[in-house]
Amino acid sequence: MNQAHLLERYHQLRELAEDQDAWLESEIGSDLWVDGINVFLTVSPEDFIEGLERFEGTYGFRNHGIVSDIRQFQHYCREAAADGEFPLYQALAVGMTWLSLQSQINGGYFNLPVQITNHSIALLLSPTYLAVWAHSYNEGIGLYLDLYSTLPTLFRPEHGRIYQNAGSYLEGSHIKFPFQNYFHEIAHILFFHDVYQRVLGNVDECRSYWTHIEACIYGLEEQVLAEMMEVQPDLHAIDDGFGSNKGFEEFISYRFGILGAPEDRSISKDTVRTYIKRNMQLGEANESIPENGVKARILASHKLDEEQLQELDTYCKSFATALQVHSLWGIKSYQRNSIPAYREVVELLSPDAYCLQKLEESLRPDSWGTLEELLSKNPFVEICAQTREKNIQVWNLRDTMSRLAEMRGYLANANEPGYGETNQELYGIAKRLASVIHEEKQKEGLEEQYEIQYADMKREISESLNRLPNVEVRDHLHNLLSKPYYFVLEPN
């Protein structure tokens, strides 16, 4: 990267940072956020040049790709932080400046132009965040934001996206979405998308599985937080991302204290994660998961001694108890997944072996000790726009497949005269769509006929729905076909 080019960009960012309001409403400021202001107002041009020369001399641009270069910046930031806060700011200034020139980094992961707030600093400081982001980029994973929807968040990881409502973003001239929420949702999709629409056992076993997955995703968030705190514990990004759970201030303070403490104390960061995973299987009244084999296995492998439990109960129980509400989602999900007409469509596609592997691994608390184990592959793959676009095509087809399953489940539940014939037509379409998805996954490049093929398939579905005798049902299912943020079967 040309030094003069980077220096010119640095001056642009420093000048913009002098007007806080303009910075926070700008495209790049929406990403670099408050820490970006502090960095660019602290690091003078001379300091920036010194930091850039240190990076080029000691670490350097490897010219192997964006992810390779970000890893070099991670090494730089960690070693600079060991010398103090100001050297870290120098490293961040160079890293943030370079990232601001990489068009693939931010702004393209939603259906709308959305900036992920604090995304760049998370990439620079957290190896886990970087690895999950890089793989999700190549996998074609994104989120869907509806600024005007009155519906709650629609949890559909099997679509390759999760549907976010108007309460999930920050308003302004640029839409801003919190980085920790983004990470949480893409991790759900990357590791477990396929298991959410499968019947994994009886209703209680499914509740235990899905509740445990939520606890595991929480644990990955904790890993990102821990990695960022290892570099610098008082960054605004840390408080923005992980310090804003209202009503749980005592837990947040305790958690930050654990993550900032030496590893030789009796309560480690891993102990807190174990406690959360264990507690989410417990509960009272409706949130209590009945005893089952999966729950027993999780509790048996996530044990804590009485002294640890006493301390953790004092500071963490209210937070863990609040998370138990996730188990209720599993009841409605099981009911949907068990509808024969829904299940017939889902089972046209073989279970995703990677998702099943991650599910099995998640039951062992020591299974993800490294990023290689977490990803089960090279964690730091280079991002590839063409690979992403190809996978987005496959996700769009899978999205339609999931909507066909939902349509058929709805019609089967309605059990009205004339619906059976439509359900058979939809099943025939689903069988052909499953073949198309299988073929698409085998191809290496983008499919030129994809758009025509995709449009023809959706038109055929629409024509089948038009033959339904009930106008309200017909319109309801047409909405499911044409409106991404829509559902006809719970859970939402």
Side-chain angles (χ1 to χ4, degrees):
M1 174 71 66
N2 185 284
Q3 188 179 102
H5 192 195
L6 281 170
L7 185 58
E8 179 184 6
R9 181 62 161 176
Y10 157 81
H11 281 293
Q12 292 172 351
L13 295 175
R14 181 175 172 86
E15 182 179 356
L16 183 61
E18 292 174 354
D19 184 338
Q20 178 174 314
D21 292 337
W23 171 272
L24 295 177
E25 286 304 315
S26 68
E27 184 175 6
I28 187 60
S30 295
D31 174 357
L32 302 182
W33 210 234
V34 177
D35 288 308
I37 293 175
N38 293 340
V39 164
F40 286 99
L41 292 185
T42 300
V43 177
S44 70
E46 293 76 20
D47 298 325
F48 178 81
I49 293 171
E50 180 182 76
L52 176 57
E53 289 177 347
R54 178 181 175 185
F55 175 75
E56 290 179 324
T58 306
Y59 308 93
F61 297 103
R62 301 292 177 166
N63 297 319
H64 299 313
I66 285 176
V67 173
S68 176
D69 286 340
I70 294 175
R71 291 187 70 193
Q72 292 300 103
F73 278 114
Q74 287 186 347
H75 296 318
Y76 181 22
C77 287
R78 285 182 172 267
E79 293 183 8
D83 295 331
E85 185 176 54
F86 182 75
L88 170 63
Y89 273 28
Q90 279 184 293
L92 288 173
V94 178
M96 288 176 169
T97 300
W98 180 81
L99 283 175
S100 75
L101 294 169
Q102 314 306 315
S103 60
Q104 305 97 316
I105 290 298
N106 209 335
Y109 312 128
F110 290 76
N111 56 304
L112 300 171
V114 176
Q115 291 297 106
I116 303 165
T117 300
N118 291 310
H119 179 61
S120 287
I121 196 168
L123 290 174
L124 290 170
L125 301 185
S126 169
T128 299
Y129 190 93
L130 172 61
V132 170
W133 167 75
H135 279 273
S136 72
Y137 179 98
N138 285 346
E139 289 298 321
I141 292 171
L143 304 182
Y144 189 97
L145 182 62
D146 191 324
L147 304 182
Y148 308 106
S149 177
T150 58
L151 293 172
T153 292
L154 191 57
F155 188 67
R156 292 291 191 271
E158 63 270 20
H159 291 198
R161 64 182 72 92
I162 292 169
Y163 303 87
Q164 301 289 324
N165 60 21
S168 62
Y169 69 95
L170 300 173
E171 297 181 359
S173 55
H174 285 85
I175 304 169
K176 296 171 279 289
F177 193 82
F179 79 102
Q180 82 285 359
N181 290 9
Y182 171 74
F183 175 84
H184 183 100
E185 306 303 1
I186 64 174
H188 268 297
I189 302 169
L190 180 65
F191 295 116
F192 300 111
H193 64 268
D194 189 64
V195 301
Y196 291 105
Q197 59 183 347
R198 302 281 176 179
V199 176
L200 306 171
N202 63 36
V203 60
D204 300 328
E205 291 168 336
C206 286
R207 283 181 70 185
S208 282
Y209 273 130
W210 294 324
T211 302
H212 183 64
I213 289 173
E214 182 66 29
C216 290
I217 300 297
Y218 166 80
L220 291 178
E221 279 191 69
E222 287 278 288
Q223 184 62 26
V224 171
L225 169 59
E227 289 167 356
M228 294 178 73
M229 288 190 69
E230 285 172 5
V231 181
Q232 181 67 27
D234 61 354
L235 292 166
H236 283 275
I238 292 172
D239 194 54
D240 286 347
F242 303 98
S244 58
N245 284 314
K246 293 181 180 178
F248 302 106
E249 289 79 8
E250 187 175 34
F251 165 71
I252 291 168
S253 177
Y254 179 78
R255 175 176 63 169
F256 281 8
I258 292 292
L259 294 175
E263 279 295 326
D264 58 356
R265 59 167 292 162
S266 62
I267 302 293
S268 68
K269 60 187 180 187
D270 292 332
T271 309
V272 176
R273 294 173 200 168
T274 296
Y275 176 85
I276 295 295
K277 291 174 184 177
R278 180 180 180 82
N279 253 61
M280 284 185 70
Q281 292 296 316
L282 308 174
E284 297 180 358
N286 291 336
E287 294 173 7
S288 175
I289 303 174
E291 299 306 315
N292 65 81
V294 176
K295 176 180 177 178
R297 183 178 173 188
I298 293 168
L299 294 178
S301 62
H302 291 76
K303 290 183 177 180
L304 297 168
D305 62 42
E306 287 301 319
E307 186 176 345
Q308 289 174 323
L309 280 172
Q310 185 174 2
E311 179 176 336
L312 289 162
D313 277 344
T314 301
Y315 297 102
C316 307
K317 189 168 186 177
S318 62
F319 180 76
T321 299
L323 292 180
Q324 289 167 0
V325 72
H326 284 88
S327 72
L328 298 177
W329 180 89
I331 300 173
K332 293 180 179 179
S333 184
Y334 180 84
Q335 291 170 345
R336 178 198 66 184
N337 295 0
S338 299
I339 299 170
Y342 180 96
R343 191 171 178 178
E344 283 175 342
V345 173
V346 170
E347 292 181 352
L348 289 171
L349 295 176
S350 300
D352 188 287
Y354 183 72
C355 293
L356 291 177
Q357 177 187 343
K358 293 296 113 181
L359 180 63
E360 175 62 26
E361 290 173 357
S362 75
L363 300 177
R364 304 193 305 271
D366 59 348
S367 59
W368 294 339
T370 66
L371 286 176
E372 285 78 10
E373 292 173 355
L374 173 63
L375 275 302
S376 300
K377 58 190 79 172
N378 174 15
F380 298 110
V381 294
E382 281 303 331
I383 61 173
C384 173
Q386 187 176 17
T387 299
R388 177 174 176 81
E389 287 304 312
K390 174 192 176 295
N391 285 325
I392 287 174
Q393 289 185 353
V394 176
W395 277 120
N396 287 340
L397 295 170
R398 285 193 58 133
D399 170 272
T400 302
M401 192 79 168
S402 295
R403 292 175 192 273
L404 278 169
E406 201 164 337
M407 289 176 192
R408 294 191 80 243
Y410 177 86
L411 291 172
N413 277 351
N415 195 28
E416 294 288 336
Y419 289 0
E421 183 178 347
T422 299
N423 243 349
Q424 281 303 110
E425 290 180 3
L426 294 178
Y427 184 65
I429 297 170
K431 286 175 68 175
R432 284 186 280 113
L433 180 55
S435 297
V436 171
I437 291 171
H438 179 74
E439 292 171 4
E440 287 294 316
K441 291 176 73 173
Q442 307 309 310
K443 296 174 182 175
E444 293 186 3
L446 292 168
E447 174 55 53
E448 293 182 1
Q449 298 299 314
Y450 161 79
E451 293 293 346
I452 297 173
Q453 193 174 33
Y454 185 48
D456 287 345
M457 194 77 70
K458 295 189 77 170
R459 182 165 51 252
E460 190 174 352
I461 297 169
S462 180
E463 290 170 355
S464 182
L465 296 179
N466 284 339
R467 289 188 280 273
L468 287 168
N470 187 304
V471 175
E472 288 185 4
V473 170
R474 192 163 65 222
D475 291 345
H476 197 29
L477 297 184
H478 269 301
N479 282 338
L480 182 62
L481 183 63
S482 62
K483 296 180 180 180
Y485 209 128
Y486 201 84
F487 69 99
V488 298
L489 289 178
E490 292 190 341
N492 56 25

